[in-house]
Amino acid sequence: SKALPFLRYVWRYFQCMAMQSSRDAARILALGAPNEKVVVAGNLKYDQAILQLEEVDSREVRERFCLTQDEDVVVAGSTHPGEEELILDAFISLREEFPRLTLILAPRHPRRRDEVESVLRDRGMAWVRRTQIERRRGEPVILLDTVGELAAAYSVARVALVGGSWIDRGGHNPLEPAFFAKPVLMGPSYFNFVDMVEDLKRGGGIRIVPSGDLRKEMRSLLTGIEETHSLGERARRVLMKNRGALDRHMELIQGVLRSP
């Protein structure tokens, strides 16, 4: 509250304040921003996902990862310590029922490769690094130790797991698997992406899964083709419905540039 007089002075120098959501608009208005300068323009991440991924060819991605057509793929993206163990335990159990199940495991930080390999070794699980994929001989786990390939990898997923959400890290971006109409599972920690996760929840395009239910929810999606397809399609509809923020931001910028 002591900063409000200073902020009201600062707001005078802004011509427009483009907010991602009504939640953000309410926050900046509470800080004294003039109502007439605040506009809800939408989240640019929706447009970013579309622009980045519209040229991805899932057939090329399958070839790149040396995947056969009969492999069902789980992509676990942006995982953190403690999540690899959780995901691998569910995956190993499910492979007893689905022997052609394959996991693309993408730690948030590729430098953790050795640490994740130690977890794989402790569980007796065979794996191959993405950087050595030409050596693959059917290993059930592909360890993504490169940067920039996770988004495209979601295109081949039967089920997408978005990490940073089964520990208290606030989650990661669920829009990349949503673009490919993939069913998305996240844990209960998603405070860094609350607006888009809530959009997906309202549209029925995501499932928030406690760690104890992860195996059950994964199995449900692996056995229910219609259910899996429907969840993924709803996720994509939410993404496409929210596009257009880039155009709105550009119009606002052009308006500011044209003003005296």
Side-chain angles (χ1 to χ4, degrees), residues 208-221:
I208 305 303
V209 181
S211 57
D213 293 337
L214 182 59
R215 181 195 178 280
K216 180 181 71 174
E217 290 294 339
M218 289 172 66
R219 184 184 184 279
S220 173
L221 293 173

Side-chain angles (χ1 to χ4, degrees), residues 168-184:
D168 191 24
R169 293 298 294 265
H172 292 289
N173 190 347
L175 296 182
E176 291 160 345
F179 175 83
F180 296 112
K182 304 300 180 179
V184 182

Side-chain angles (χ1 to χ4, degrees), residues 81-112:
E83 292 185 313
E84 289 94 7
E85 292 88 344
L86 169 70
I87 291 165
L88 281 167
D89 287 346
F91 173 75
I92 292 167
S93 175
L94 287 167
R95 284 200 91 236
E96 297 175 6
E97 184 176 355
F98 306 96
R100 296 300 294 161
L101 195 61
T102 298
L103 175 66
I104 297 178
L105 181 59
R108 176 64 174 173
H109 303 292
R111 66 175 180 271
R112 294 186 53 243

Side-chain angles (χ1 to χ4, degrees), residues 220-254:
S220 173
L221 293 173
L222 290 168
T223 55
I225 295 176
E226 184 176 335
E227 176 187 16
T228 301
H229 178 76
S230 178
L231 182 60
E233 286 297 325
R234 290 196 298 268
R236 181 174 170 86
R237 282 199 294 270
V238 170
L239 171 61
M240 302 308 286
K241 179 182 176 182
N242 283 279
R243 63 183 172 179
L246 179 59
D247 289 339
R248 290 190 290 273
H249 278 83
M250 290 302 297
E251 289 174 6
L252 291 169
I253 292 169
Q254 289 169 358

Side-chain angles (χ1 to χ4, degrees), residues 58-244:
S58 62
R59 291 170 299 181
E60 184 276 329
V61 175
R62 291 194 81 92
E63 292 176 5
R64 192 195 315 169
F65 282 84
C66 296
L67 296 164
T68 61
Q69 290 304 313
D70 64 340
E71 289 181 85
D72 280 327
V73 180
V74 174
V75 177
S78 300
T79 59
H80 290 260
E83 292 185 313
E84 289 94 7
E85 292 88 344
L86 169 70
I87 291 165
L88 281 167
D89 287 346
F91 173 75
I92 292 167
S93 175
L94 287 167
R95 284 200 91 236
E96 297 175 6
E97 184 176 355
F98 306 96
R100 296 300 294 161
L101 195 61
T102 298
L103 175 66
I104 297 178
L105 181 59
R108 176 64 174 173
H109 303 292
R111 66 175 180 271
R112 294 186 53 243
R113 181 185 65 191
D114 292 347
E115 177 186 341
V116 176
E117 286 183 332
S118 177
V119 176
L120 287 161
R121 192 176 299 110
D122 288 345
R123 281 159 173 73
M125 182 56 58
W127 76 93
V128 63
R129 298 174 183 175
R130 165 65 182 95
T131 52
Q132 299 174 342
I133 198 68
E134 69 280 356
R135 303 181 188 177
R136 187 177 187 228
R137 298 295 182 267
E139 290 88 349
V141 178
I142 298 171
L143 179 59
L144 193 60
D145 59 343
T146 58
V147 175
E149 289 193 292
L150 172 59
Y154 281 125
S155 71
V156 301
R158 177 74 180 273
V159 178
L161 313 178
V162 179
S165 59
W166 285 283
I167 60 169
D168 191 24
R169 293 298 294 265
H172 292 289
N173 190 347
L175 296 182
E176 291 160 345
F179 175 83
F180 296 112
K182 304 300 180 179
V184 182
L185 302 181
M186 286 186 74
S189 177
Y190 54 86
F191 54 80
N192 288 326
F193 295 86
V194 63
D195 290 319
M196 61 184 66
V197 171
E198 291 298 328
D199 284 343
L200 288 165
K201 285 171 65 177
R202 282 190 293 271
I206 195 170
R207 289 185 181 173
I208 305 303
V209 181
S211 57
D213 293 337
L214 182 59
R215 181 195 178 280
K216 180 181 71 174
E217 290 294 339
M218 289 172 66
R219 184 184 184 279
S220 173
L221 293 173
L222 290 168
T223 55
I225 295 176
E226 184 176 335
E227 176 187 16
T228 301
H229 178 76
S230 178
L231 182 60
E233 286 297 325
R234 290 196 298 268
R236 181 174 170 86
R237 282 199 294 270
V238 170
L239 171 61
M240 302 308 286
K241 179 182 176 182
N242 283 279
R243 63 183 172 179

Side-chain angles (χ1 to χ4, degrees), residues 20 41-49 245-247 249:
Q20 288 186 4
N43 192 328
L44 288 166
K45 282 188 168 62
Y46 288 98
D47 292 305
Q48 181 184 29
L246 179 59
D247 289 339
H249 278 83

